Amino acid sequence: MTPPRLLDIRGLTITLPQRDRRITAVSGVDLEVERGEILGLVGESGSGKSLSMLAVLGLLPRSAKVGGSVRLDGEEILGAPERRLRKLRGKRVGMVFQDPMTALDPVMTVGAQLIETLRIHEPGLSRSLARRRAIDLLGQVAIAAPEQRIDQYPHEFSGGMRQRVVIAMAIANDPELLIADEPTTALDVTIQAQIVELLERLRRERNLGLVLITHDLGLIAGLADKVTILYSGAIVERGPVFDIFANSHHPYTRGLLRAMPGAEAEGERLVAIPGTPPSPASRPEGCPFHPRCRLAVPRCSAEAPAFRWFGQSMAACHLAEEAARMELRETAHGV
Ligand code: SF4
Ligand code: MG
């Protein structure tokens, strides 16, 4: 028998109350992560990426209704009692959020916070042993002189160093899965690269499964094994990173690729996707991307596209074959 997947999400649907009705914020999302694998979850803000992961962790407000299935190592955790979820968070699933300051307590030393994190799941751990483990963790996330740093406060650390501390806290109890929500967005570019390197190393050394939530396809290119693209609460395309970058079959993905900074060659220009993503309350009929899509035909506003396979990836677009032929780059002179 093959062992169960580390994370297996099927048909995740989230509705939220809005005035006198409920709106569907996430609809029918499937995601899988194996041990040692990095999944990039990509989309503009409001696409449902963070909501989906908060649902996994049981961290949505009570007014949210969540349907579908979330299995961790074969065990259903959707709708599990709060006591069980609390044991799971930190111990089996670590979390890293965008702004390290929200994850750290400004009036506690970094060491005290790490020790507290360790002792939540191991209450019997002695202070001296916990302190030694905390120093070791700071070393693992490449903080120099951890014996001195451990007694300092978060404000004595730079932004990148703070994010390292948050990552140390997230891995303190040796989780199997790490969920990182925009972990580098608040950091400058060189520091971003160092955090990416750290995540990659931790994945390798600990065989961690990692869900990397981002709007930055560039980050995904260098780090993830596979990628899932969300638009307006639903998946539009998914597959191995190489296939998606080399041969995407969805106009939205291709639009994101065109808008990706840093990839343009001389004489080419970046082209942003026109318009803004719809709010879940006013999602267009048919293909939700149709008001922004360069390829849209009348069918697109009437009929929601089904998923089709293209090699190892799948895309939901009526005109996927045409999409795969769309130019990724425009010359600055040609248009
Ligand atoms: Fe564009 Fe139509 Fe494909 Fe939607 S289904 S992405 S509107 S071509
Ligand atoms: Mg978000």
Side-chain angles (χ1 to χ4, degrees), residues 43-51 54 98 181-182 213-215:
E44 290 163 290
S45 75
S47 59
K49 355 183 252 302
S50 303
L51 269 186
L54 290 173
Q98 177 174 334
D181 192 347
E182 306 270 7
I213 302 178
T214 182
H215 62 273

mmCIF file of all heavy atoms in Angstrom, residues 43-51 54 98 181-182 213-215, ligand 2:
data_model
loop_
_atom_site.group_PDB
_atom_site.id
_atom_site.type_symbol
_atom_site.label_atom_id
_atom_site.label_comp_id
_atom_site.label_asym_id
_atom_site.label_seq_id
_atom_site.Cartn_x
_atom_site.Cartn_y
_atom_site.Cartn_z
ATOM 1 N N GLY A 43 -1.557 33.446 -6.764
ATOM 2 C CA GLY A 43 -2.731 34.188 -7.199
ATOM 3 C C GLY A 43 -2.635 35.614 -6.708
ATOM 4 O O GLY A 43 -1.821 35.921 -5.837
ATOM 5 N N GLU A 44 -3.464 36.487 -7.270
ATOM 6 C CA GLU A 44 -3.499 37.865 -6.795
ATOM 7 C C GLU A 44 -4.161 37.895 -5.427
ATOM 8 O O GLU A 44 -4.744 36.910 -4.990
ATOM 9 C CB GLU A 44 -4.289 38.731 -7.792
ATOM 10 C CG GLU A 44 -3.558 38.934 -9.108
ATOM 11 C CD GLU A 44 -4.471 39.421 -10.224
ATOM 12 O OE1 GLU A 44 -5.323 38.641 -10.696
ATOM 13 O OE2 GLU A 44 -4.342 40.578 -10.617
ATOM 14 N N SER A 45 -4.106 39.064 -4.770
ATOM 15 C CA SER A 45 -4.720 39.100 -3.448
ATOM 16 C C SER A 45 -6.224 38.917 -3.596
ATOM 17 O O SER A 45 -6.823 39.339 -4.587
ATOM 18 C CB SER A 45 -4.364 40.400 -2.725
ATOM 19 O OG SER A 45 -5.111 41.437 -3.264
ATOM 20 N N GLY A 46 -6.825 38.211 -2.652
ATOM 21 C CA GLY A 46 -8.246 37.918 -2.734
ATOM 22 C C GLY A 46 -8.569 36.673 -3.542
ATOM 23 O O GLY A 46 -9.730 36.344 -3.746
ATOM 24 N N SER A 47 -7.549 35.935 -3.996
ATOM 25 C CA SER A 47 -7.817 34.749 -4.813
ATOM 26 C C SER A 47 -8.170 33.539 -3.958
ATOM 27 O O SER A 47 -8.563 32.499 -4.476
ATOM 28 C CB SER A 47 -6.608 34.441 -5.696
ATOM 29 O OG SER A 47 -5.465 34.221 -4.899
ATOM 30 N N GLY A 48 -8.008 33.652 -2.639
ATOM 31 C CA GLY A 48 -8.394 32.553 -1.761
ATOM 32 C C GLY A 48 -7.230 31.715 -1.265
ATOM 33 O O GLY A 48 -7.431 30.721 -0.576
ATOM 34 N N LYS A 49 -5.988 32.122 -1.575
ATOM 35 C CA LYS A 49 -4.843 31.307 -1.172
ATOM 36 C C LYS A 49 -4.685 31.263 0.350
ATOM 37 O O LYS A 49 -4.572 30.193 0.935
ATOM 38 C CB LYS A 49 -3.509 31.791 -1.781
ATOM 39 C CG LYS A 49 -3.580 32.929 -2.770
ATOM 40 C CD LYS A 49 -2.233 33.265 -3.342
ATOM 41 C CE LYS A 49 -1.658 34.582 -2.846
ATOM 42 N NZ LYS A 49 -2.475 35.770 -3.086
ATOM 43 N N SER A 50 -4.687 32.427 0.973
ATOM 44 C CA SER A 50 -4.512 32.433 2.432
ATOM 45 C C SER A 50 -5.707 31.801 3.131
ATOM 46 O O SER A 50 -5.551 31.021 4.072
ATOM 47 C CB SER A 50 -4.329 33.865 2.944
ATOM 48 O OG SER A 50 -3.240 34.472 2.300
ATOM 49 N N LEU A 51 -6.908 32.128 2.651
ATOM 50 C CA LEU A 51 -8.125 31.546 3.242
ATOM 51 C C LEU A 51 -8.059 30.028 3.242
ATOM 52 O O LEU A 51 -8.395 29.376 4.231
ATOM 53 C CB LEU A 51 -9.360 31.961 2.424
ATOM 54 C CG LEU A 51 -10.117 33.220 2.782
ATOM 55 C CD1 LEU A 51 -11.363 33.306 1.907
ATOM 56 C CD2 LEU A 51 -10.501 33.242 4.256
ATOM 57 N N LEU A 54 -5.709 28.896 5.939
ATOM 58 C CA LEU A 54 -6.273 29.114 7.277
ATOM 59 C C LEU A 54 -7.322 28.039 7.571
ATOM 60 O O LEU A 54 -7.449 27.573 8.711
ATOM 61 C CB LEU A 54 -6.885 30.508 7.388
ATOM 62 C CG LEU A 54 -5.879 31.669 7.389
ATOM 63 C CD1 LEU A 54 -6.600 33.008 7.341
ATOM 64 C CD2 LEU A 54 -4.958 31.614 8.615
ATOM 65 N N GLN A 98 3.558 36.611 6.518
ATOM 66 C CA GLN A 98 4.254 37.658 5.788
ATOM 67 C C GLN A 98 5.059 38.591 6.681
ATOM 68 O O GLN A 98 6.219 38.865 6.425
ATOM 69 C CB GLN A 98 3.210 38.459 4.997
ATOM 70 C CG GLN A 98 3.789 39.630 4.254
ATOM 71 C CD GLN A 98 2.737 40.284 3.370
ATOM 72 O OE1 GLN A 98 1.789 39.640 2.953
ATOM 73 N NE2 GLN A 98 2.913 41.557 3.093
ATOM 74 N N ASP A 181 3.107 31.855 4.215
ATOM 75 C CA ASP A 181 2.234 32.787 3.498
ATOM 76 C C ASP A 181 2.999 34.068 3.193
ATOM 77 O O ASP A 181 3.260 34.862 4.092
ATOM 78 C CB ASP A 181 0.986 33.075 4.347
ATOM 79 C CG ASP A 181 -0.092 33.798 3.556
ATOM 80 O OD1 ASP A 181 0.199 34.282 2.449
ATOM 81 O OD2 ASP A 181 -1.230 33.881 4.052
ATOM 82 N N GLU A 182 3.369 34.255 1.955
ATOM 83 C CA GLU A 182 4.134 35.436 1.516
ATOM 84 C C GLU A 182 5.341 35.678 2.438
ATOM 85 O O GLU A 182 5.521 36.798 2.924
ATOM 86 C CB GLU A 182 3.237 36.683 1.505
ATOM 87 C CG GLU A 182 1.951 36.546 0.701
ATOM 88 C CD GLU A 182 2.101 36.947 -0.765
ATOM 89 O OE1 GLU A 182 3.240 37.213 -1.198
ATOM 90 O OE2 GLU A 182 1.084 36.973 -1.465
ATOM 91 N N ILE A 213 2.752 30.179 -0.235
ATOM 92 C CA ILE A 213 1.720 31.056 -0.776
ATOM 93 C C ILE A 213 2.386 32.334 -1.254
ATOM 94 O O ILE A 213 3.141 32.958 -0.503
ATOM 95 C CB ILE A 213 0.689 31.418 0.316
ATOM 96 C CG1 ILE A 213 0.048 30.146 0.877
ATOM 97 C CG2 ILE A 213 -0.358 32.382 -0.214
ATOM 98 C CD1 ILE A 213 -0.937 30.419 1.998
ATOM 99 N N THR A 214 2.122 32.721 -2.477
ATOM 100 C CA THR A 214 2.770 33.922 -2.988
ATOM 101 C C THR A 214 2.029 34.486 -4.190
ATOM 102 O O THR A 214 1.281 33.783 -4.855
ATOM 103 C CB THR A 214 4.242 33.628 -3.372
ATOM 104 O OG1 THR A 214 4.855 34.821 -3.820
ATOM 105 C CG2 THR A 214 4.342 32.581 -4.464
ATOM 106 N N HIS A 215 2.240 35.781 -4.462
ATOM 107 C CA HIS A 215 1.746 36.326 -5.719
ATOM 108 C C HIS A 215 2.919 36.444 -6.684
ATOM 109 O O HIS A 215 2.779 36.920 -7.790
ATOM 110 C CB HIS A 215 1.102 37.695 -5.472
ATOM 111 C CG HIS A 215 2.078 38.690 -4.941
ATOM 112 N ND1 HIS A 215 2.343 38.834 -3.600
ATOM 113 C CD2 HIS A 215 2.903 39.542 -5.577
ATOM 114 C CE1 HIS A 215 3.284 39.745 -3.437
ATOM 115 N NE2 HIS A 215 3.643 40.188 -4.621
HETATM 116 MG MG MG B 2 -2.977 36.515 1.534
#
